[in-house]
Amino acid sequence: MKTFDPKNEAGHYIAPQGLYERNKSKPFLGSITANRREIIAGEWTELILTYEVGASGLADGAWLKLAFKFYSDWALFQTSDPAGANYISAEYHAGELVAGQSPATVQSLKVRFDQKGHERPFQKTVIVDIVDGYLNPGDRITIRLGDRRQGGPGTRVQSFVEKDFQFRLFIDPLGSSKFAEVPGDVLLDIVPGEPSTLQVVTPRLVNREEPFDIIVRADDAWGNTCRNLPLTGLLKLHGPNDAVQDLPFTLAEQGWAIVRHSNIKLNQPGEWTIVAQVQDSPATAAKAYVNISAEAGTLRPLYADLHVHSDDTVGTNDTLYNLSYGRDVAGLDVLGYTANDFNITEQRWDKAVELIHNLNEPGKFVCYPGTEWCGNSCAGGDRNIVFLRDSKPLFPFDHHGRLVRSFEWNEFTHGTLKPGAWPVDDLYAAYAHDPEGHLMMSHVGGRRCNLDWHHPELERLIEVSSAWGQFHWVYAEALQRGYRVGAAANSDEHQGRCGGGVPATAVFGSRGGLTGVLAKQFDREGVAKALRARHTFATTGERSFASLSQGAHLMGDAYPLDETIPLQYQLLGDQGWEEISLYDGDQVIWMRNLHEELGFANNRIRIRLGGARIKDRYRGAYWTGEIQITGALINDFTAFGLDHPEQVCWRENATTLGFRTDTNGDSDSIELQVSTLRGCKITLKSRIDSYIKVGDPLEPQPYVHAPTVVLELDGDTLLNNQTIAKELPGAELKVSIERITDQALPRDVSGKIDLPSLHLATHREHPLFITARQRDQSRIWTSALFLY
């Protein structure tokens, strides 16, 4: 197409000398650059981004949006305290003028931060308003994230690694609130920090003569696996009767700092302790346990994460990275990739499915494709579909050619939203013809599932824990409604660390979960049968183990009630079991308190905080408070369940501790050793704040239904009552002060429960399941036995 030629076509006119040529040489929408290309996950820094205005200029009343993806846990920015952390600023710098050109008239820039200031996935937004005037092409706007010039410490960057983290700039050049994307995102590589801890990944229970693998890896302080770190070390295996094996290792020189010892056989039954240590490194040693069963010829419990995202939709790093991490770093046996159904393009879906089929390896790594149906809660809420067969999945169209997405919208559809299978009734209709080829899981994430809907043949499991939090209540409610669903826990990982996951500091504030699978064969068909049979248990990310059975019936089975045979249970953990509860739907009908069985100490107590504010998104309860002891000294204290470096507990003086943490359905605890309980007074005071979705991050937003909590009691009352608890309005929101033992809690607990002692009512079905808690506040749930 012929271009305009003002010199020859416009005739005589007046214009600034050379400005036409200079503007034509510039990108029309401008360009953006940064002073860094690589940053360390979780570090404090000042990041400077510079936008050079393009040929379009910026009109009076225009504004800019510097956006990044909503799942990032980069610390929230603030504009009210220039000397505080995470302060952001924006400055105007005039460009050179040519002869005859007038300077820009802009008076100032106004900067603010909005967590939902733009379209998904680029929702978190630094907004810069142009105040009282316009900008010329070539002018610059400098945005400082973590401005340190007035004494602030900078900004705490995203805590998890990501290749090509994106800042995307959108500008409104005409002041019409119609935004255009500036070509060329700012890309940052967020890399791991120095090694802080080792991790040992191993099965918790292995049958005699069955080989298994042990993975050792080095992680930084935020739980990111280090890279290119060939540390040498020793793996020590201590077994019954003083059996010992030493396995030297060297972490990989290239790529993830991991090593896998394969095909290990430990023929001596009993518990083995595995300790990993490295030389010439500050990384702390790691310990794990594996029980060798006296049984032979059966398959060990498998560990699955059936809910993993990638950058195909709203995850971190590409699909190969995430699947490889699950297999090689997290040591998963089973992985389910799930794409947000409305968001993934058909081309990316086909490529992901091909990759999954190529990675699937019977006997080593079972991999399934899947989608996440993202309907609003009023239409059924989130449901995952795992495609269990080897054939091409029915997505994005079913076998009738009907669209089976909830709706179709992504960053390439330019705002057009096309409705599809909505409400969830349509989703059931798409897959009900082949229930054995599909597994649906209701779950609580952003859009929580609505249990007004349920399909008994498709929905066989329900997700009780994920990176969003712990949701005992949704499992109990489903069972109480009479739904035969088993327990599952997965990561719902958006941050590239599936297989248990590591908590971030934003809405994904809990450890991701794992689903234990009792399968008869280690391939797609065998695992699928076990999943649909509900032969599962759910953990909060640990390789713990739980079973509940009655005679030949496994958890997940439905069968007639027989009170002559007792229930049998077994729990294997790593931190010591403290509490075991048997539920009938949503009611506790039997309990063991291991602290009480071992004997309460007269000088040890525990403060426990737990639950969530609400059942929907942004559910976190943010606790800031102190524990005061009057009439006794705090001799020692230890915090458990704190998920990342910004959840902390500290000593203020000899009788006072301070704490700051958040819970998302999980529990955090602080154990205290005091000089005496008799005659002392214990006071817990805490503010409870909401997640700061809108507003100044430096201004707390009190939880309206319980902005503060105070719990006071004297030590003599606690000596007599063992536990004092206060239920708060919310989703299992609770504080308690409890007596605890000073004895070591058991890692291996088993027993029998006689059914007549439970006094089960006749003429109705009883969904019986066990949930148990360890000292570090990790949890496990079995699928229910359905007795009718």
Side-chain angles (χ1 to χ4, degrees), residues 2-34:
K2 183 180 179 182
T3 59
F4 291 108
D5 183 6
K7 286 185 179 180
N8 296 316
E9 295 182 278
H12 177 70
Y13 67 99
I14 298 170
Q17 186 176 349
L19 183 60
Y20 179 82
E21 291 79 11
R22 192 174 76 175
N23 283 353
K24 283 295 187 180
S25 69
K26 292 181 178 297
F28 186 72
L29 297 175
S31 61
I32 183 168
T33 57

PDB file of all heavy atoms in Angstrom, residues 2-34:
ATOM      1  N   LYS A   2       0.529   2.199  -0.820  1.00  0.00           N
ATOM      2  CA  LYS A   2       1.301   3.434  -0.921  1.00  0.00           C
ATOM      3  C   LYS A   2       1.155   4.234   0.365  1.00  0.00           C
ATOM      4  O   LYS A   2       0.073   4.402   0.902  1.00  0.00           O
ATOM      5  CB  LYS A   2       0.814   4.259  -2.110  1.00  0.00           C
ATOM      6  CG  LYS A   2       1.613   5.541  -2.328  1.00  0.00           C
ATOM      7  CD  LYS A   2       1.084   6.300  -3.515  1.00  0.00           C
ATOM      8  CE  LYS A   2       1.877   7.595  -3.703  1.00  0.00           C
ATOM      9  NZ  LYS A   2       1.374   8.397  -4.837  1.00  0.00           N
ATOM     10  N   THR A   3       2.279   4.750   0.870  1.00  0.00           N
ATOM     11  CA  THR A   3       2.260   5.565   2.081  1.00  0.00           C
ATOM     12  C   THR A   3       2.045   7.025   1.735  1.00  0.00           C
ATOM     13  O   THR A   3       2.257   7.456   0.604  1.00  0.00           O
ATOM     14  CB  THR A   3       3.582   5.422   2.855  1.00  0.00           C
ATOM     15  OG1 THR A   3       4.664   5.836   2.009  1.00  0.00           O
ATOM     16  CG2 THR A   3       3.811   3.971   3.290  1.00  0.00           C
ATOM     17  N   PHE A   4       1.634   7.790   2.759  1.00  0.00           N
ATOM     18  CA  PHE A   4       1.464   9.222   2.568  1.00  0.00           C
ATOM     19  C   PHE A   4       2.821   9.895   2.361  1.00  0.00           C
ATOM     20  O   PHE A   4       3.842   9.460   2.915  1.00  0.00           O
ATOM     21  CB  PHE A   4       0.767   9.856   3.777  1.00  0.00           C
ATOM     22  CG  PHE A   4      -0.669   9.447   3.918  1.00  0.00           C
ATOM     23  CD1 PHE A   4      -1.085   8.567   4.930  1.00  0.00           C
ATOM     24  CD2 PHE A   4      -1.628   9.953   3.046  1.00  0.00           C
ATOM     25  CE1 PHE A   4      -2.402   8.211   5.053  1.00  0.00           C
ATOM     26  CE2 PHE A   4      -2.957   9.594   3.165  1.00  0.00           C
ATOM     27  CZ  PHE A   4      -3.346   8.722   4.169  1.00  0.00           C
ATOM     28  N   ASP A   5       2.805  10.987   1.591  1.00  0.00           N
ATOM     29  CA  ASP A   5       4.033  11.762   1.338  1.00  0.00           C
ATOM     30  C   ASP A   5       3.692  13.244   1.480  1.00  0.00           C
ATOM     31  O   ASP A   5       3.429  13.939   0.489  1.00  0.00           O
ATOM     32  CB  ASP A   5       4.565  11.449  -0.062  1.00  0.00           C
ATOM     33  CG  ASP A   5       5.875  12.172  -0.358  1.00  0.00           C
ATOM     34  OD1 ASP A   5       6.421  12.824   0.564  1.00  0.00           O
ATOM     35  OD2 ASP A   5       6.324  12.093  -1.511  1.00  0.00           O
ATOM     36  N   PRO A   6       3.671  13.763   2.731  1.00  0.00           N
ATOM     37  CA  PRO A   6       3.251  15.155   2.933  1.00  0.00           C
ATOM     38  C   PRO A   6       4.104  16.157   2.168  1.00  0.00           C
ATOM     39  O   PRO A   6       3.596  17.202   1.727  1.00  0.00           O
ATOM     40  CB  PRO A   6       3.396  15.341   4.443  1.00  0.00           C
ATOM     41  CG  PRO A   6       3.274  13.971   4.996  1.00  0.00           C
ATOM     42  CD  PRO A   6       3.924  13.074   3.981  1.00  0.00           C
ATOM     43  N   LYS A   7       5.383  15.892   1.989  1.00  0.00           N
ATOM     44  CA  LYS A   7       6.241  16.868   1.296  1.00  0.00           C
ATOM     45  C   LYS A   7       5.749  17.124  -0.115  1.00  0.00           C
ATOM     46  O   LYS A   7       5.856  18.243  -0.634  1.00  0.00           O
ATOM     47  CB  LYS A   7       7.678  16.350   1.269  1.00  0.00           C
ATOM     48  CG  LYS A   7       8.396  16.435   2.614  1.00  0.00           C
ATOM     49  CD  LYS A   7       9.847  16.028   2.477  1.00  0.00           C
ATOM     50  CE  LYS A   7      10.566  16.142   3.821  1.00  0.00           C
ATOM     51  NZ  LYS A   7      11.993  15.746   3.710  1.00  0.00           N
ATOM     52  N   ASN A   8       5.242  16.088  -0.754  1.00  0.00           N
ATOM     53  CA  ASN A   8       4.819  16.236  -2.143  1.00  0.00           C
ATOM     54  C   ASN A   8       3.308  16.333  -2.295  1.00  0.00           C
ATOM     55  O   ASN A   8       2.818  16.763  -3.341  1.00  0.00           O
ATOM     56  CB  ASN A   8       5.330  15.050  -2.969  1.00  0.00           C
ATOM     57  CG  ASN A   8       6.850  15.024  -3.022  1.00  0.00           C
ATOM     58  OD1 ASN A   8       7.486  16.060  -3.212  1.00  0.00           O
ATOM     59  ND2 ASN A   8       7.427  13.838  -2.825  1.00  0.00           N
ATOM     60  N   GLU A   9       2.569  15.898  -1.281  1.00  0.00           N
ATOM     61  CA  GLU A   9       1.117  15.839  -1.431  1.00  0.00           C
ATOM     62  C   GLU A   9       0.356  16.874  -0.614  1.00  0.00           C
ATOM     63  O   GLU A   9      -0.750  17.257  -0.979  1.00  0.00           O
ATOM     64  CB  GLU A   9       0.606  14.445  -1.010  1.00  0.00           C
ATOM     65  CG  GLU A   9       1.084  13.319  -1.913  1.00  0.00           C
ATOM     66  CD  GLU A   9       0.512  11.970  -1.500  1.00  0.00           C
ATOM     67  OE1 GLU A   9       1.053  11.336  -0.562  1.00  0.00           O
ATOM     68  OE2 GLU A   9      -0.494  11.572  -2.103  1.00  0.00           O
ATOM     69  N   ALA A  10       0.925  17.338   0.500  1.00  0.00           N
ATOM     70  CA  ALA A  10       0.159  18.207   1.396  1.00  0.00           C
ATOM     71  C   ALA A  10       0.192  19.672   1.003  1.00  0.00           C
ATOM     72  O   ALA A  10      -0.601  20.462   1.502  1.00  0.00           O
ATOM     73  CB  ALA A  10       0.680  18.052   2.824  1.00  0.00           C
ATOM     74  N   GLY A  11       1.100  20.013   0.132  1.00  0.00           N
ATOM     75  CA  GLY A  11       1.232  21.426  -0.193  1.00  0.00           C
ATOM     76  C   GLY A  11       1.933  22.171   0.926  1.00  0.00           C
ATOM     77  O   GLY A  11       2.608  21.591   1.780  1.00  0.00           O
ATOM     78  N   HIS A  12       1.734  23.503   0.946  1.00  0.00           N
ATOM     79  CA  HIS A  12       2.416  24.313   1.946  1.00  0.00           C
ATOM     80  C   HIS A  12       1.665  24.232   3.277  1.00  0.00           C
ATOM     81  O   HIS A  12       0.459  24.402   3.337  1.00  0.00           O
ATOM     82  CB  HIS A  12       2.488  25.781   1.493  1.00  0.00           C
ATOM     83  CG  HIS A  12       3.128  26.661   2.525  1.00  0.00           C
ATOM     84  ND1 HIS A  12       4.461  26.604   2.829  1.00  0.00           N
ATOM     85  CD2 HIS A  12       2.581  27.614   3.341  1.00  0.00           C
ATOM     86  CE1 HIS A  12       4.732  27.485   3.782  1.00  0.00           C
ATOM     87  NE2 HIS A  12       3.595  28.111   4.113  1.00  0.00           N
ATOM     88  N   TYR A  13       2.398  23.943   4.364  1.00  0.00           N
ATOM     89  CA  TYR A  13       1.811  23.948   5.693  1.00  0.00           C
ATOM     90  C   TYR A  13       2.920  24.187   6.714  1.00  0.00           C
ATOM     91  O   TYR A  13       4.113  24.099   6.403  1.00  0.00           O
ATOM     92  CB  TYR A  13       1.071  22.643   5.998  1.00  0.00           C
ATOM     93  CG  TYR A  13       1.951  21.407   6.105  1.00  0.00           C
ATOM     94  CD1 TYR A  13       2.339  20.926   7.358  1.00  0.00           C
ATOM     95  CD2 TYR A  13       2.370  20.714   4.969  1.00  0.00           C
ATOM     96  CE1 TYR A  13       3.134  19.797   7.462  1.00  0.00           C
ATOM     97  CE2 TYR A  13       3.144  19.585   5.067  1.00  0.00           C
ATOM     98  CZ  TYR A  13       3.539  19.131   6.311  1.00  0.00           C
ATOM     99  OH  TYR A  13       4.314  18.008   6.421  1.00  0.00           O
ATOM    100  N   ILE A  14       2.534  24.455   7.925  1.00  0.00           N
ATOM    101  CA  ILE A  14       3.483  24.749   8.996  1.00  0.00           C
ATOM    102  C   ILE A  14       3.495  23.582   9.970  1.00  0.00           C
ATOM    103  O   ILE A  14       2.441  23.085  10.386  1.00  0.00           O
ATOM    104  CB  ILE A  14       3.082  26.051   9.714  1.00  0.00           C
ATOM    105  CG1 ILE A  14       3.127  27.231   8.742  1.00  0.00           C
ATOM    106  CG2 ILE A  14       3.987  26.313  10.919  1.00  0.00           C
ATOM    107  CD1 ILE A  14       2.515  28.481   9.296  1.00  0.00           C
ATOM    108  N   ALA A  15       4.679  23.126  10.374  1.00  0.00           N
ATOM    109  CA  ALA A  15       4.829  22.027  11.334  1.00  0.00           C
ATOM    110  C   ALA A  15       6.207  22.111  11.970  1.00  0.00           C
ATOM    111  O   ALA A  15       7.136  22.692  11.375  1.00  0.00           O
ATOM    112  CB  ALA A  15       4.665  20.674  10.636  1.00  0.00           C
ATOM    113  N   PRO A  16       6.399  21.567  13.176  1.00  0.00           N
ATOM    114  CA  PRO A  16       7.724  21.534  13.789  1.00  0.00           C
ATOM    115  C   PRO A  16       8.723  20.829  12.874  1.00  0.00           C
ATOM    116  O   PRO A  16       8.415  19.787  12.274  1.00  0.00           O
ATOM    117  CB  PRO A  16       7.500  20.739  15.080  1.00  0.00           C
ATOM    118  CG  PRO A  16       6.056  20.951  15.403  1.00  0.00           C
ATOM    119  CD  PRO A  16       5.367  20.983  14.077  1.00  0.00           C
ATOM    120  N   GLN A  17       9.918  21.388  12.801  1.00  0.00           N
ATOM    121  CA  GLN A  17      10.920  20.933  11.843  1.00  0.00           C
ATOM    122  C   GLN A  17      11.445  19.539  12.208  1.00  0.00           C
ATOM    123  O   GLN A  17      11.969  19.319  13.293  1.00  0.00           O
ATOM    124  CB  GLN A  17      12.087  21.942  11.803  1.00  0.00           C
ATOM    125  CG  GLN A  17      13.110  21.642  10.726  1.00  0.00           C
ATOM    126  CD  GLN A  17      14.179  22.722  10.682  1.00  0.00           C
ATOM    127  OE1 GLN A  17      14.036  23.776  11.314  1.00  0.00           O
ATOM    128  NE2 GLN A  17      15.237  22.476   9.946  1.00  0.00           N
ATOM    129  N   GLY A  18      11.280  18.585  11.306  1.00  0.00           N
ATOM    130  CA  GLY A  18      11.802  17.227  11.495  1.00  0.00           C
ATOM    131  C   GLY A  18      10.974  16.340  12.404  1.00  0.00           C
ATOM    132  O   GLY A  18      11.307  15.169  12.601  1.00  0.00           O
ATOM    133  N   LEU A  19       9.885  16.880  12.945  1.00  0.00           N
ATOM    134  CA  LEU A  19       9.098  16.083  13.891  1.00  0.00           C
ATOM    135  C   LEU A  19       8.369  14.949  13.182  1.00  0.00           C
ATOM    136  O   LEU A  19       8.236  13.848  13.723  1.00  0.00           O
ATOM    137  CB  LEU A  19       8.099  16.981  14.622  1.00  0.00           C
ATOM    138  CG  LEU A  19       7.256  16.297  15.710  1.00  0.00           C
ATOM    139  CD1 LEU A  19       8.150  15.698  16.800  1.00  0.00           C
ATOM    140  CD2 LEU A  19       6.254  17.270  16.313  1.00  0.00           C
ATOM    141  N   TYR A  20       7.901  15.208  11.960  1.00  0.00           N
ATOM    142  CA  TYR A  20       7.177  14.169  11.224  1.00  0.00           C
ATOM    143  C   TYR A  20       8.061  12.937  11.051  1.00  0.00           C
ATOM    144  O   TYR A  20       7.654  11.802  11.347  1.00  0.00           O
ATOM    145  CB  TYR A  20       6.731  14.715   9.873  1.00  0.00           C
ATOM    146  CG  TYR A  20       6.001  13.695   9.022  1.00  0.00           C
ATOM    147  CD1 TYR A  20       4.648  13.431   9.199  1.00  0.00           C
ATOM    148  CD2 TYR A  20       6.676  12.977   8.021  1.00  0.00           C
ATOM    149  CE1 TYR A  20       3.986  12.492   8.430  1.00  0.00           C
ATOM    150  CE2 TYR A  20       6.022  12.034   7.246  1.00  0.00           C
ATOM    151  CZ  TYR A  20       4.683  11.799   7.447  1.00  0.00           C
ATOM    152  OH  TYR A  20       4.027  10.865   6.679  1.00  0.00           O
ATOM    153  N   GLU A  21       9.279  13.136  10.601  1.00  0.00           N
ATOM    154  CA  GLU A  21      10.183  12.012  10.354  1.00  0.00           C
ATOM    155  C   GLU A  21      10.537  11.297  11.665  1.00  0.00           C
ATOM    156  O   GLU A  21      10.619  10.063  11.710  1.00  0.00           O
ATOM    157  CB  GLU A  21      11.458  12.501   9.675  1.00  0.00           C
ATOM    158  CG  GLU A  21      11.268  12.974   8.235  1.00  0.00           C
ATOM    159  CD  GLU A  21      10.676  14.384   8.165  1.00  0.00           C
ATOM    160  OE1 GLU A  21      10.600  15.082   9.226  1.00  0.00           O
ATOM    161  OE2 GLU A  21      10.278  14.793   7.052  1.00  0.00           O
ATOM    162  N   ARG A  22      10.754  12.093  12.715  1.00  0.00           N
ATOM    163  CA  ARG A  22      11.116  11.461  13.990  1.00  0.00           C
ATOM    164  C   ARG A  22       9.963  10.618  14.542  1.00  0.00           C
ATOM    165  O   ARG A  22      10.155   9.504  15.019  1.00  0.00           O
ATOM    166  CB  ARG A  22      11.515  12.527  15.012  1.00  0.00           C
ATOM    167  CG  ARG A  22      12.172  11.930  16.261  1.00  0.00           C
ATOM    168  CD  ARG A  22      12.686  12.996  17.204  1.00  0.00           C
ATOM    169  NE  ARG A  22      11.568  13.608  17.953  1.00  0.00           N
ATOM    170  CZ  ARG A  22      11.749  14.509  18.912  1.00  0.00           C
ATOM    171  NH1 ARG A  22      12.981  14.929  19.201  1.00  0.00           N
ATOM    172  NH2 ARG A  22      10.710  15.014  19.549  1.00  0.00           N
ATOM    173  N   ASN A  23       8.743  11.169  14.453  1.00  0.00           N
ATOM    174  CA  ASN A  23       7.596  10.414  14.966  1.00  0.00           C
ATOM    175  C   ASN A  23       7.341   9.151  14.152  1.00  0.00           C
ATOM    176  O   ASN A  23       6.981   8.098  14.692  1.00  0.00           O
ATOM    177  CB  ASN A  23       6.345  11.290  14.965  1.00  0.00           C
ATOM    178  CG  ASN A  23       6.343  12.287  16.111  1.00  0.00           C
ATOM    179  OD1 ASN A  23       7.208  12.232  16.985  1.00  0.00           O
ATOM    180  ND2 ASN A  23       5.383  13.204  16.101  1.00  0.00           N
ATOM    181  N   LYS A  24       7.519   9.251  12.848  1.00  0.00           N
ATOM    182  CA  LYS A  24       7.291   8.083  11.999  1.00  0.00           C
ATOM    183  C   LYS A  24       8.288   6.965  12.281  1.00  0.00           C
ATOM    184  O   LYS A  24       8.020   5.788  12.018  1.00  0.00           O
ATOM    185  CB  LYS A  24       7.353   8.478  10.523  1.00  0.00           C
ATOM    186  CG  LYS A  24       6.102   9.194  10.026  1.00  0.00           C
ATOM    187  CD  LYS A  24       4.875   8.286  10.076  1.00  0.00           C
ATOM    188  CE  LYS A  24       3.659   8.940   9.434  1.00  0.00           C
ATOM    189  NZ  LYS A  24       2.474   8.061   9.494  1.00  0.00           N
ATOM    190  N   SER A  25       9.442   7.328  12.805  1.00  0.00           N
ATOM    191  CA  SER A  25      10.465   6.313  13.103  1.00  0.00           C
ATOM    192  C   SER A  25      10.218   5.617  14.438  1.00  0.00           C
ATOM    193  O   SER A  25      10.878   4.624  14.757  1.00  0.00           O
ATOM    194  CB  SER A  25      11.850   6.961  13.110  1.00  0.00           C
ATOM    195  OG  SER A  25      11.997   7.829  14.229  1.00  0.00           O
ATOM    196  N   LYS A  26       9.290   6.127  15.234  1.00  0.00           N
ATOM    197  CA  LYS A  26       9.024   5.560  16.552  1.00  0.00           C
ATOM    198  C   LYS A  26       7.901   4.519  16.476  1.00  0.00           C
ATOM    199  O   LYS A  26       7.003   4.639  15.639  1.00  0.00           O
ATOM    200  CB  LYS A  26       8.611   6.663  17.541  1.00  0.00           C
ATOM    201  CG  LYS A  26       9.709   7.640  17.898  1.00  0.00           C
ATOM    202  CD  LYS A  26       9.210   8.668  18.906  1.00  0.00           C
ATOM    203  CE  LYS A  26      10.327   9.622  19.294  1.00  0.00           C
ATOM    204  NZ  LYS A  26      11.430   8.915  19.965  1.00  0.00           N
ATOM    205  N   PRO A  27       7.908   3.541  17.388  1.00  0.00           N
ATOM    206  CA  PRO A  27       6.746   2.647  17.486  1.00  0.00           C
ATOM    207  C   PRO A  27       5.516   3.473  17.841  1.00  0.00           C
ATOM    208  O   PRO A  27       5.593   4.364  18.693  1.00  0.00           O
ATOM    209  CB  PRO A  27       7.112   1.681  18.620  1.00  0.00           C
ATOM    210  CG  PRO A  27       8.536   1.912  18.939  1.00  0.00           C
ATOM    211  CD  PRO A  27       8.943   3.232  18.395  1.00  0.00           C
ATOM    212  N   PHE A  28       4.394   3.199  17.207  1.00  0.00           N
ATOM    213  CA  PHE A  28       3.226   4.049  17.383  1.00  0.00           C
ATOM    214  C   PHE A  28       2.772   4.087  18.845  1.00  0.00           C
ATOM    215  O   PHE A  28       2.391   5.137  19.363  1.00  0.00           O
ATOM    216  CB  PHE A  28       2.075   3.557  16.499  1.00  0.00           C
ATOM    217  CG  PHE A  28       0.880   4.459  16.526  1.00  0.00           C
ATOM    218  CD1 PHE A  28       0.926   5.703  15.898  1.00  0.00           C
ATOM    219  CD2 PHE A  28      -0.290   4.094  17.182  1.00  0.00           C
ATOM    220  CE1 PHE A  28      -0.169   6.563  15.926  1.00  0.00           C
ATOM    221  CE2 PHE A  28      -1.386   4.932  17.217  1.00  0.00           C
ATOM    222  CZ  PHE A  28      -1.329   6.179  16.586  1.00  0.00           C
ATOM    223  N   LEU A  29       2.815   2.912  19.527  1.00  0.00           N
ATOM    224  CA  LEU A  29       2.345   2.847  20.918  1.00  0.00           C
ATOM    225  C   LEU A  29       3.482   2.949  21.924  1.00  0.00           C
ATOM    226  O   LEU A  29       3.252   2.834  23.134  1.00  0.00           O
ATOM    227  CB  LEU A  29       1.567   1.547  21.151  1.00  0.00           C
ATOM    228  CG  LEU A  29       0.288   1.388  20.322  1.00  0.00           C
ATOM    229  CD1 LEU A  29      -0.331   0.024  20.544  1.00  0.00           C
ATOM    230  CD2 LEU A  29      -0.716   2.484  20.664  1.00  0.00           C
ATOM    231  N   GLY A  30       4.700   3.147  21.441  1.00  0.00           N
ATOM    232  CA  GLY A  30       5.820   3.317  22.348  1.00  0.00           C
ATOM    233  C   GLY A  30       6.500   2.009  22.699  1.00  0.00           C
ATOM    234  O   GLY A  30       6.245   0.963  22.089  1.00  0.00           O
ATOM    235  N   SER A  31       7.366   2.066  23.716  1.00  0.00           N
ATOM    236  CA  SER A  31       8.134   0.886  24.126  1.00  0.00           C
ATOM    237  C   SER A  31       8.404   0.962  25.620  1.00  0.00           C
ATOM    238  O   SER A  31       8.431   2.046  26.217  1.00  0.00           O
ATOM    239  CB  SER A  31       9.453   0.806  23.353  1.00  0.00           C
ATOM    240  OG  SER A  31      10.252   1.954  23.617  1.00  0.00           O
ATOM    241  N   ILE A  32       8.634  -0.199  26.214  1.00  0.00           N
ATOM    242  CA  ILE A  32       8.901  -0.268  27.649  1.00  0.00           C
ATOM    243  C   ILE A  32      10.111  -1.149  27.898  1.00  0.00           C
ATOM    244  O   ILE A  32      10.294  -2.183  27.239  1.00  0.00           O
ATOM    245  CB  ILE A  32       7.663  -0.782  28.431  1.00  0.00           C
ATOM    246  CG1 ILE A  32       7.944  -0.774  29.937  1.00  0.00           C
ATOM    247  CG2 ILE A  32       7.207  -2.142  27.941  1.00  0.00           C
ATOM    248  CD1 ILE A  32       6.711  -0.971  30.792  1.00  0.00           C
ATOM    249  N   THR A  33      10.960  -0.729  28.833  1.00  0.00           N
ATOM    250  CA  THR A  33      12.176  -1.462  29.187  1.00  0.00           C
ATOM    251  C   THR A  33      12.308  -1.518  30.698  1.00  0.00           C
ATOM    252  O   THR A  33      11.638  -0.779  31.423  1.00  0.00           O
ATOM    253  CB  THR A  33      13.423  -0.796  28.593  1.00  0.00           C
ATOM    254  OG1 THR A  33      13.482   0.571  29.041  1.00  0.00           O
ATOM    255  CG2 THR A  33      13.399  -0.829  27.077  1.00  0.00           C
ATOM    256  N   ALA A  34      13.173  -2.407  31.183  1.00  0.00           N
ATOM    257  CA  ALA A  34      13.424  -2.541  32.622  1.00  0.00           C
ATOM    258  C   ALA A  34      14.921  -2.565  32.878  1.00  0.00           C
ATOM    259  O   ALA A  34      15.712  -2.892  31.977  1.00  0.00           O
ATOM    260  CB  ALA A  34      12.782  -3.813  33.163  1.00  0.00           C
TER     261      ALA A  34
END
